[in-house]
Amino acid sequence: MDSRPSNLPEAQILLIEDNPGDVRLIEEAFHDGQINNHLHTVTDGREALDFVHRQDEYVDAPRPDIILLDLNLPRVDGEDVLHEIKHHPELEHVPVIILSGLDDELIESRDLDHDADEDAVLEKPVDPGEFVDVICGFDDFRLSIVRTRDE
């Protein structure tokens, strides 16, 4: 049995992803990994900015514990969203995992304004087990992880 306390609060995860198939993969990965979370999903960059700035329909949105960000978004590009997040005083220390269909060389060649220096980049598609392991590796997020069965 797991020795971690089961009364930890749910992790607030913001998923910024426009592909319904990738959203489903991520939901399944969290379910299979038994991560205690509340997944908030927005499907374009404009919605993401509204969520993080708590405006319009997201005025009561919680502050995310971790953000999963697709770079190729409609309306507002993912790079612009990343810049806004990393320059927001309440969000600058929130881990961001960039989800990308681009290969490593293309990611490195993009100017991400050094906003993602401390965060991770995952190439899509990702193995659900590896995906959960990467997310569990973030120290700020680890405290919000609850597994209900032996590993």
Side-chain angles (χ1 to χ4, degrees), residues 57-82:
E57 69 181 277
Y58 300 103
V59 69
D60 294 321
R63 285 289 179 225
D65 296 305
I66 192 166
I67 298 171
L68 309 175
L69 171 65
D70 180 19
L71 286 182
N72 298 313
L73 295 170
R75 295 179 61 194
V76 176
D77 186 76
E79 291 179 43
D80 294 331
V81 172
L82 177 64

Side-chain angles (χ1 to χ4, degrees), residues 81-100:
V81 172
L82 177 64
H83 181 81
E84 285 280 328
I85 290 167
K86 289 303 179 178
H87 290 89
H88 189 290
E90 294 179 37
L91 297 171
E92 63 188 358
H93 299 294
V94 172
V96 176
I97 296 179
I98 297 171
L99 305 173
S100 177

Side-chain angles (χ1 to χ4, degrees), residues 21-41:
D22 290 337
V23 170
R24 187 173 35 80
L25 172 72
I26 291 165
E27 289 171 343
E28 289 174 7
F30 283 125
H31 180 266
D32 292 349
Q34 298 183 2
I35 296 176
N36 187 29
N37 71 83
H38 188 102
L39 186 65
H40 307 272
T41 303

